[in-house]
Amino acid sequence: MRSKDITGILKIISRSYGFLWTFLHLLGIDVHDVGRNETFFSIKGFTNKVFKILFPSLMYLTQIYVISHGILYAVIYGADYKILLCFTSINLLSLALWHNLHRKKVFLRDFIVKCERLQFSFQRSLTSINIVINLCLGLIVLITTVTAISSIFNIKQASLELKAYYSFFMLVDREDIVGMLVKSILIVIQYVCMFIPPAIAALLSGAIYFKTSDLLLKLRENLESIKMNVLYHNEISKLSVNYNFLYLLVHEVEKEFSLTVFLLLCSHWFNLNTVLLSYILYAGDFLSYSLACHIIAQLIFAVTLNIGVILCASRISYQVFRVQTTLQVVHNKVGTVEPKTLQIVKNMLDIKFPEMTAYGIVKLNPSLIVSSFGSVLTYGLLVINVNRP
């Protein structure tokens, strides 16, 4: 089959993910690219080449600017190194997340095909999440755009340090069209490079986790239908093949996305720490509207994306538990009547699905939400009380 035909098939069966693949393409990550032989001089080939180069180049240039700015900022203005370290780390983690997503192109293509295969085998349609994904993408773009525009319109009231950051340290006092244009472009690029990659990474992780848990749900429904009817050896054998296939798929998802989620959690933690540090440093001073917009955007993304990814990941463990429970009921029903069938069910029960983790460090379950945000709240209240005069 030609690569063009494969690309067309991938686009058809991946429609349930909404515009997620389009956004990844804009970030220079073309999931549907399977070795298309497009010439550079064709319009489509040229645009694909531009998308592959444009955003990664912006990311690298932004990192260089942020690091050099941090050094100059500390030397010229004597800024607090803690907030500079958090701010620089957030940008570096954003770049790391982009690279992590870029390496997943082959896995994502395989995952789409495997989901379609299992869906066909189960003879049950998976839950379409394209509306939810499109809504989340719209909110991501809206929040980033609104906060960037708010910062642009209020940059005049910002502190001297913030003006210097958004003007290459050269156009600080210029309020003409050139000065405002340079500051506006830098603000937009900074917001996009800082917020969009982690947000898309979180949305993609949540979508993959949800699809995986949905496959487990369909497996359980098939087991339920078998449990209610006469148990045939052929049906159990066929189901065990899908069971093993799904077991391997869950392992692949854990392997591929554990590091992604770990980087996301680190990014969100740095965002929350930046919010706390900003409050501490500017609590008694004038907090510019531009900085306030930046802090609000960090807080929204850190909280909502963190919760969403963890809940989607924990859904896998919940569905695994329900599958195991249903299997145990099937095992009890088979008894000793069908020794071969009983052995197959036993083998399925012996298979232990992996839990979703953040690089094997913490398990992704709802208790993590309570513990993480509880510790941040406790730490924040402690710092506020210590700094209170």
Side-chain angles (χ1 to χ4, degrees), residues 111-370:
F111 181 84
I112 294 170
V113 175
K114 288 175 181 177
C115 282
E116 187 68 16
R117 171 186 167 182
L118 284 170
Q119 178 180 332
F120 178 78
S121 181
F122 291 149
Q123 296 181 349
R124 297 176 186 272
S125 299
L126 296 180
T127 305
S128 178
I129 55 175
N130 57 340
I131 296 177
V132 177
I133 288 178
N134 290 338
L135 180 62
C136 291
L137 288 171
L139 289 174
I140 290 169
V141 173
L142 179 64
I143 293 171
T144 306
T145 304
V146 169
T147 50
I149 292 175
S150 300
S151 296
I152 290 171
F153 280 105
N154 293 275
I155 193 66
K156 292 182 180 180
Q157 290 78 34
S159 62
L160 182 63
E161 295 90 343
L162 200 60
K163 287 182 180 179
Y165 173 68
Y166 288 123
S167 58
F168 292 110
F169 291 91
M170 296 181 293
L171 305 172
V172 180
D173 299 324
R174 291 189 61 172
E175 301 294 342
D176 57 357
I177 295 177
V178 176
M180 289 303 299
L181 184 62
V182 170
K183 292 171 186 175
S184 300
I185 292 173
L186 281 174
I187 288 173
V188 171
I189 292 175
Q190 182 64 58
Y191 272 70
V192 169
C193 291
M194 180 182 288
F195 294 132
I196 295 298
I200 297 299
L203 188 58
L204 177 63
S205 302
I208 297 299
Y209 285 145
F210 185 89
K211 284 291 183 180
T212 306
S213 65
D214 208 30
L215 288 171
L216 288 165
L217 173 62
K218 303 309 174 185
L219 173 66
R220 186 187 63 81
E221 290 176 355
N222 276 23
L223 285 170
E224 288 282 354
S225 62
I226 290 177
K227 182 184 71 175
M228 300 301 295
N229 301 318
V230 179
L231 293 172
Y232 293 103
H233 179 76
N234 291 337
E235 289 185 4
I236 293 293
S237 298
K238 180 181 177 182
L239 200 60
S240 68
V241 173
N242 292 330
Y243 190 88
N244 292 329
F245 189 80
L246 189 52
Y247 166 76
L248 294 175
L249 184 62
V250 173
H251 258 289
E252 290 177 7
V253 170
E254 159 62 12
K255 179 182 176 182
E256 288 290 332
F257 281 90
S258 62
L259 178 58
T260 305
V261 176
F262 176 73
L263 292 174
L264 277 171
L265 291 177
C266 291
S267 177
H268 297 157
W269 269 97
F270 276 114
N271 273 306
L272 292 175
N273 283 328
T274 304
V275 171
L276 283 174
L277 287 170
S278 299
Y279 174 82
I280 295 167
L281 292 175
Y282 298 99
D285 302 323
F286 175 70
L287 183 63
S288 67
Y289 193 79
S290 296
L291 185 58
C293 291
H294 194 89
I295 291 172
I296 291 171
Q298 284 180 307
L299 192 60
I300 291 173
F301 281 123
V303 174
T304 55
L305 296 178
N306 203 355
I307 293 175
V309 171
I310 292 173
L311 289 179
C312 289
S314 63
R315 192 171 183 261
I316 294 178
S317 299
Y318 175 68
Q319 293 299 336
V320 167
F321 171 76
R322 297 186 70 184
V323 167
Q324 293 285 334
T325 303
T326 307
L327 265 178
Q328 187 62 55
V329 174
V330 172
H331 176 271
N332 297 338
K333 184 178 179 180
V334 173
T336 57
V337 178
E338 295 285 345
K340 292 183 179 179
T341 306
L342 180 64
Q343 186 59 45
I344 293 174
V345 176
K346 279 185 177 180
N347 292 338
M348 293 167 69
L349 278 171
D350 290 337
I351 295 176
K352 302 299 180 184
F353 282 80
E355 289 191 82
M356 299 298 105
T357 65
Y359 209 53
I361 298 174
V362 291
K363 295 180 180 179
L364 301 178
N365 49 46
S367 61
L368 177 62
I369 300 173
V370 179

